[in-house]
Amino acid sequence: MDYTQLGRTGLKVSRLCLGTMNFGPVTSEDDSFAIMDHAHELGINFFDTANVYGWKKGEGITENIIGRWFAQGGGRREKTVIATKLYGDMGDWPNDGRLSALNIRRAADASLKRMQTDYIDLYQAHHVDRSTPFEEFWEAMDILKQQGKILYVGSSNFAGWHIAKAQEAAARRNSLGLVSEQSHYNLIVRAPELEVIPAAEDYGLGLIPWSPLAGGLLGGILRKIDKGRSASENMVKELDKHRDKIEQYEAFCDELGEDPANVGLAWLLHQRVVTAPIIGPRTLDQLDGTTRALEIKLDDKALARLDEIFPGFKTAPEEYAW
């Protein structure tokens, strides 16, 4: 396993981040335990979750699964850099969600209890809260740091200017500020290249791409459908929208002699400021397959070909001005 620093911090994390969103709704608890144990065997030390995962309001199903896994001991907690998120509603009362100081305090305590740990390595805002000023956000996060409940703070789904506002507000408090941004980024969705990635680079944030395979479109979808595997109605619509590009992509992956899923992950690992794409394996076999991405080296010619198939963006304003 390869490791890198998380943004400008001294924290070392694996180049692949284990996403746990499937734990509970899709993957059983026993299988989830097996996947997390095997992730450690592979050297993956970076796990990502959220208080809303499990998708039953207020239950924190996935965090509870992780907590019961930690409770088995064996160094499981100590070997894991655990990242969780808050923002989504965990109840029906007015302050049961978002980023008010009140919810930050309650949500952190609830996540700690569910995960049976006394600290969170990376505490992330799952979305920007336009109704909460960053001064309030940082005061609440700084208190959690002082209490030893969290170590680092990250964002998710922030625009570039949100990152800038957050960092400037943190600087006024002499706080470390954000150390990471979790964005929807892959070969198909390249909008972060306009402003999010330049902002992350300038402020020293590590980028953690979610949905690195575009919900499966970059995972060899054509060959799977050709073999008779079913796809959701939404997936079929997305495939129809991008079919020409996907056909070219899978043909190019065949030329490389590599699985499309691994090429998609490898491309992200070649992009600046990317710390670790989030992989969301449902089975042990899927987890094992992803490690090949770490070994794939894409030369300039291959990267240029991928840009031809899936055109990206120049940094703003050059993308739309001189």
Side-chain angles (χ1 to χ4, degrees):
M1 181 55 57
D2 296 330
Y3 299 90
T4 189
Q5 312 296 122
L6 179 61
R8 66 194 186 283
T9 75
L11 183 67
K12 288 187 177 181
V13 295
S14 50
R15 294 302 313 275
L16 294 176
C17 178
L18 180 68
T20 63
M21 190 171 67
N22 289 320
F23 295 176
V26 177
T27 305
S28 70
E29 183 160 326
D30 286 345
D31 288 345
S32 299
F33 282 11
I35 288 172
M36 289 188 281
D37 281 334
H38 192 48
H40 275 181
E41 291 170 359
L42 295 172
I44 297 173
N45 74 334
F46 192 19
F47 294 9
D48 177 76
T49 191
N51 59 359
V52 295
Y53 288 172
W55 311 117
K56 290 186 178 179
K57 187 183 287 187
E59 294 191 20
I61 291 171
T62 304
E63 284 188 336
N64 276 307
I65 290 173
I66 293 170
R68 289 188 286 271
W69 180 72
F70 282 155
Q72 295 179 95
R76 288 176 171 82
R77 175 64 186 98
E78 292 77 11
K79 293 177 181 177
T80 304
V81 174
I82 189 66
T84 192
K85 300 183 285 291
L86 81 152
Y87 176 88
D89 290 338
M90 293 295 285
D92 297 322
W93 283 81
N95 295 302
D96 287 344
R98 306 231 170 184
L99 302 180
S100 68
L102 177 60
N103 187 53
I104 287 173
R105 174 177 176 168
R106 289 175 174 172
D109 284 344
S111 286
L112 290 168
K113 183 177 180 180
R114 283 190 290 267
M115 293 194 293
Q116 302 189 47
T117 184
D118 56 3
Y119 70 98
I120 294 164
D121 297 280
L122 177 62
Y123 202 35
Q124 304 162 109
H126 211 159
H127 196 278
V128 65
D129 182 355
R130 297 178 177 88
S131 62
T132 300
F134 280 112
E135 290 77 9
E136 177 181 352
F137 173 81
W138 283 121
E139 182 176 58
M141 289 297 186
D142 285 345
I143 289 172
L144 290 179
K145 281 188 176 184
Q146 291 161 11
Q147 293 173 333
K149 294 179 178 178
I150 66 172
L151 300 182
Y152 301 96
V153 180
S155 59
S156 182
N157 304 305
F158 275 31
W161 70 277
H162 295 139
I163 292 172
K165 285 193 69 175
Q167 297 304 75
E168 295 307 316
R172 290 193 293 271
R173 298 177 56 85
N174 294 315
S175 295
L176 179 63
L178 301 172
V179 303
S180 62
E181 158 60 21
Q182 193 176 127
S183 284
H184 188 195
Y185 185 44
N186 52 56
L187 273 165
I188 294 175
V189 179
R190 296 185 61 169
E193 295 169 353
L194 278 166
E195 299 190 19
V196 172
I197 289 177
E201 186 172 38
D202 192 69
Y203 283 105
L205 278 64
L207 191 73
I208 306 170
W210 62 265
S211 193
L213 300 180
L217 285 177
L218 298 170
I221 184 67
L222 292 177
R223 58 195 72 186
K224 290 175 182 176
I225 288 179
D226 288 344
K227 290 180 180 178
R229 299 184 192 177
S230 61
S232 67
E233 182 179 343
N234 184 61
M235 177 67 74
V236 171
K237 288 181 180 178
E238 288 298 307
L239 176 58
D240 288 343
K241 188 189 306 182
H242 301 285
R243 179 174 286 274
D244 179 60
K245 293 179 179 179
I246 297 297
E247 288 176 349
Q248 294 180 61
Y249 174 66
E250 293 199 11
F252 180 60
C253 292
D254 286 340
E255 290 178 28
L256 295 175
E258 299 288 352
D259 184 88
N262 291 330
V263 173
L265 291 173
W267 178 83
L268 283 169
L269 291 168
H270 282 70
Q271 305 309 303
R272 70 187 200 273
V273 312
V274 168
T275 296
I278 297 174
I279 57 172
R282 296 186 298 275
T283 65
L284 287 172
D285 286 342
Q286 288 180 348
L287 176 58
D288 277 327
T290 60
T291 58
R292 170 59 187 161
L294 299 166
E295 302 170 1
I296 297 175
K297 305 302 178 186
L298 300 171
D299 59 21
D300 290 344
K301 184 177 179 181
L303 291 170
R305 176 60 182 141
L306 290 170
D307 280 339
E308 287 177 8
I309 299 171
F310 302 106
F313 295 94
K314 292 180 287 185
T315 299
E318 285 82 359
E319 176 64 31
Y320 46 77
W322 54 272

